[in-house]
Amino acid sequence: MVKLRLKRCGRKQAVYRIVAIDVRSRREGRDLRKVGFYDPIKNQTYLNVPAILYFLERGAQPTGTVHDILKKAEIFKELRSNQIKFN
């Protein structure tokens, strides 16, 4: 199973990459693909929307924090509209 989760990058200041990663891997383990970036201090977010939609359509589960980030960016609305087009 694949999850979308945060992977810490910064040493002193916490900045995170949003990655698609196997559930059995640890937080800093090898990721399948980098799909975004999140800086909680500056409140900046960069999301690779096509890559995120690709993983979500194939059953990837976002963690709680990543779910909140994606919800704020209205990714789930795009996911629903894509599913309506294809069905």
Side-chain angles (χ1 to χ4, degrees), residues 30-75:
R30 184 171 177 208
D31 51 81
L32 300 172
R33 185 165 179 191
K34 297 172 183 73
V35 295
F37 180 81
Y38 174 61
D39 185 353
I41 296 168
K42 296 178 183 175
N43 202 17
Q44 292 179 337
T45 307
Y46 166 76
L47 300 172
N48 184 349
V49 177
I52 292 171
L53 291 175
Y54 172 83
F55 283 107
L56 288 175
E57 287 169 354
R58 281 153 184 78
Q61 296 294 316
T63 60
T65 307
V66 174
H67 185 274
D68 293 343
I69 293 169
L70 297 179
K71 189 175 178 182
K72 188 175 178 183
E74 299 180 349
I75 298 293

Side-chain angles (χ1 to χ4, degrees), residues 1-25:
M1 177 188 232
V2 176
K3 280 209 173 208
L4 297 175
R5 69 166 75 150
L6 296 176
K7 184 175 183 180
R8 187 173 172 142
C9 295
R11 271 197 151 168
K12 292 183 180 179
Q13 294 181 343
V15 290
Y16 299 92
R17 283 193 180 125
I18 301 171
V19 296
I21 195 166
D22 187 28
V23 202
R24 296 167 289 188
S25 298

